[in-house]
Amino acid sequence: MILGRVLGEVVATQKHPSHQGRKVLMVQPVHPDDSERGEPILALDAVDAGVGDRVLVVQEGYSAMSAAGRVNAPIDMTIVGVVDAVDMLKT
């Protein structure tokens, strides 16, 4: 899973039929301290996330499709949760 922050919504004039009714969001992967990690990614939204939300993204094909409830759809990444807080244990 990837921890990320939603940067914005992707507007498409055409979508695959399996993506109808779902938003595609641009997500910046982040470290637990909220610093940026890597390049932004695109993910199908399954939890009604919005801009600025910290989210969990599943990246495996079958898991992403199953989480979106659309098996056999061309989905690589799905937002599966909105994160309220991250607590780190000190060792």
Side-chain angles (χ1 to χ4, degrees):
M1 286 203 195
I2 299 170
L3 181 64
R5 184 174 4 90
V6 177
L7 298 176
E9 187 172 343
V10 175
V11 177
T13 57
Q14 296 185 7
K15 291 182 179 178
H16 188 276
S18 65
H19 291 49
Q20 296 297 326
R22 293 285 171 95
K23 295 182 289 186
V24 176
L25 299 176
M26 180 176 284
V27 177
Q28 173 63 56
V30 297
H31 294 284
D33 67 359
D34 211 33
S35 61
E36 293 184 2
R37 178 174 67 92
E39 298 294 320
I41 58 176
L42 300 180
L44 197 69
D45 181 29
V47 295
D48 200 25
V51 173
D53 285 344
R54 195 163 14 168
V55 294
L56 280 178
V57 178
V58 65
Q59 188 178 13
E60 297 298 325
Y62 187 77
S63 298
M65 290 184 290
S66 298
R70 298 173 185 205
V71 178
N72 297 324
I75 301 168
D76 286 336
M77 297 184 200
T78 300
I79 296 172
V80 296
V82 175
V83 176
D84 294 325
V86 176
D87 291 327
M88 301 293 291
L89 297 175
K90 293 183 180 179
T91 57

